[in-house]
Amino acid sequence: MTLNLMCAVLIFLSGVHQRQVYLFSLVVLNIVIFFFHLISWKLHTAINLAEAMTYSDIHSGLVLLAIPIIFFTFSRWCEFKYSNSLTILLIVIVATLLAVSSFTSYSIRYDESIKLVNYKSIFNDNVALLSGVKSNISMLFYGITFVTWGCLLLFAIKFYKQQQSVVASALVLLLITQGSVSYVGYKIDQLELALFYIGGLPLTVFSVFYTLFIFSSYKQKSASLIYEKQSNLHLQQAITKLAEGLSGIDSRHFYEEIAKILYDFSKANYILISTIKQREQRCIDTLVALKDGQIINNFSYALCGSPCEIVASNEICIYSDNVASLFPEDKMLNDESIVSYIGSPLLDESNNAVGVLALLYNHAYKPNSDVLNAMKVFSSRAGSEIRRSNLQKRLERMAYFDYESKLPNRARLLEVINEKYIECKKNNTNAMFMLIDLDCFGDINRKYGDDVGDQVIRQLGLRLGHYSSKDKFIARNSGDEFAMVLSNVKGETSSVLNVHWQAIKAILSEPCIVGERQIKIKCSMGAVLFPAQIDNRFDVISSAEHAIFRAKESGRNQCALFDPDILAKIDFQKELAADLAQALNSDGQLSIAYQAKVTAQGEVIGSEALIRWQHPQKGNILPSEFIDIAEDCGLIHALGRWVTNEVCKQIRQWINDDKPVYKVSINIAAMQFDNPDFIAFICRTLEQYQLASKYIEIELTESGLLTDITRAVSNLNKLRNIGISIALDDFGTGYSSLSYLQDLPLDVLKIDKSFIDNLSQARSAELVRSIISIGSHMNLVTVAEGTENIEQVNALKAMGCDYFQGFYFCKPLSADEFMNYCINIKKR
């Protein structure tokens, strides 16, 4: 009974853990058996017939109750299909028998002649036992029992088929012992055996056995879990080492490190990480090879006839013994006495094998799960690195490859120039950069179309590609420009340049055949020797561009070498740009001079604001020297805003000082005028200084207006609408003046100084007279720039010129000097 209670508790705990219904029914069965043993004891110790009859009925009822529990336990355990329905049927039958026994005079076991018999057991105990004629119900009871035992035998067979041989054997043993104890019970009932009822003993033994089996399984699982945990820890340490130690290194070192980590884990005699080369003769190229933990030289071997060929079909391949005899064509296996082999494929993004990770042993070796798991992890990581490396190569090819010419592109060209520059500096050698420009290539595109032009580029790129070599790097620099970097230049520079110029000219001059067209190409070339001619690698291409400009000036189809004196000019311009930026952010260097605009009698009607730059080291720098530089480097916007702000501030000062104020013309560059914020800036500045727009005039050159005539007209109308007058500066120097003059909303025409200087010549005089006549007919005020003598003034006055500006009347003056000049003129 103690064993049954203990088994019930332990099996219940196992059932809670495993969540299996049959274990809970086994718990119930042990409780029933407990009460069976208890009632058996009570029956054997009964002191009268009535007490014995009561215990006999309970005893028989417990046996009946055990039958559906036993059936349900083992039927659910072996997953019998009709377990639930047959269990219900048994419960109905048992319940019927119990009801008949309880509510009638019939007993489950006896019908009549029932008496209480006392005897001595074989253990010399006093035992009481009922004796009598068996009832008809007992026959049904025995029949149900035999049917149940037959089902249990079928369940044992099912357990065997399910490969649960331990449970099957225990169940068969239970049936045999249960049959034996049932026979013992029959002999006891016949008073032929002086013993006591032990019918529940086989089930008790089975429960004890199963409880021990559970604990044995738990022990095995615990040991397995501990081993698995240790293996996982070992594997995790290897994976952690893989993750921590392999970041930020190149592919070669990556494969070496991954092989070393795998060696520490597996102790394989050889570890190979290889790629599969898809050639006519497919082969394996090792990325890294380890022998007994040491890096050896990479090598190649045939894929056919090796276990790697099986791995290449995306299968993990394991040969625990005699691998060399299985693959007699594999020379390495036989030469190195390899006995066992483990291979795992390295997969690309489409899950195709692109490589192999292989472990080779000089002894028989059957890998356990942790080694196989490690192989999966490491082969996955190595495969990822191969995919990353291949992707990087494709991206580099895309980034450094020009698809039209099939040559390296400008990005790769810049890298090569940088590499060669550093190399030459280190080795005290020189390289030559040659820039090749196709002459009049735009005419080909215009005449034949861009598709034809692209085909010409492809043919020329193919030719130049054949001319490239280890020492001659050729790339496409831009649309119609190619470039060549010549390494390790020795000898006289002009001779070396001429040799390659003649070769390139011959290569490119051969007609390009596009359809039925024969297109002839000529080219110009500029070259620079670096670092001998330049000190900065960033100036290599620009220096060659200056050289090619000289070649084109000589008539095209020419070659020129860079002149270092040009670089000095470039450096001066860069230095001047930096100084100008500094001057805009400091006080004192930049200033405004005002030159009066007057009538023929000298009466002041306005002035032009002229910027002046007094450099602290370089002295006075003329606008003609720095305005173009300001436009090239983007400082023209800041410079224009500075001038406008200074002029408006000065006008406000004159107004505040109650001085005579005249309209001031401000020169605006084309880039300023095209700025979308230009008009808004003018308005903000006028508002800032509270000035009327009548005090400001904007001077523009016709080149600044004609870039986009529609937008120019729109902006000019906006300026005039707010009261600002517009002057067209240097009129007559452009080729489109008369074509567009009628469309532009102007107020003033300024006649360029170049015409005034040659006014004594009849042709210039006629041009000036025409300009003044045009202005008059269009109701425009004319101003003659650069009037320096009375003869010019008189001639221009006679032609009808309105106003004058020049040294004859007034040179450019500071703000104070200009105001004194105006006051003195008024006093006359």
Side-chain angles (χ1 to χ4, degrees), residues 412-454:
R412 179 57 186 150
L413 174 64
L414 294 174
E415 280 194 353
V416 170
I417 291 173
N418 185 57
E419 292 166 3
K420 291 299 178 183
Y421 193 95
I422 294 172
E423 179 184 321
C424 290
K425 278 286 190 180
K426 180 179 179 181
N427 300 328
N428 197 27
T429 57
N430 282 304
M432 183 178 288
F433 175 74
M434 288 165 271
L435 190 63
I436 306 149
D437 182 80
L438 306 181
D439 292 335
C440 304
F441 188 76
D443 294 342
I444 295 174
N445 286 328
R446 284 189 292 272
K447 185 176 181 180
Y448 302 113
D450 291 340
D451 290 342
V452 173
D454 291 343

Side-chain angles (χ1 to χ4, degrees), residues 106-138:
Y106 293 101
S107 170
I108 296 176
R109 192 172 288 185
Y110 303 104
D111 272 349
E112 56 186 18
S113 303
I114 303 172
K115 61 183 178 178
L116 184 64
V117 179
N118 290 293
Y119 62 91
K120 290 282 187 178
S121 73
I122 60 175
F123 301 106
N124 204 30
D125 294 322
N126 292 319
V127 179
L129 184 68
L130 285 175
S131 177
V133 178
K134 296 292 183 181
S135 68
N136 294 327
I137 297 178
S138 66

Side-chain angles (χ1 to χ4, degrees), residues 146-157:
F146 288 135
V147 170
T148 303
W149 280 182
C151 290
L152 293 182
L153 183 60
L154 293 176
F155 295 158
I157 296 171

Side-chain angles (χ1 to χ4, degrees), residues 54 90 104 115 153 166 191 196 219 222 277 283 373 378 411 414 425 455 461 547 549 575 591-592 612 615 631 647 729:
T54 301
L90 282 174
T104 67
K115 61 183 178 178
L153 183 60
V166 175
L191 301 178
F196 43 82
K219 187 176 180 180
S222 178
K277 297 299 181 183
C283 69
N373 287 334
F378 280 68
L414 294 174
K425 278 286 190 180
Q455 292 187 52
F549 181 75
E575 182 181 346
S591 61
I592 302 293
R612 295 292 182 260
H615 194 283
E631 290 182 345
V647 168
D729 198 11

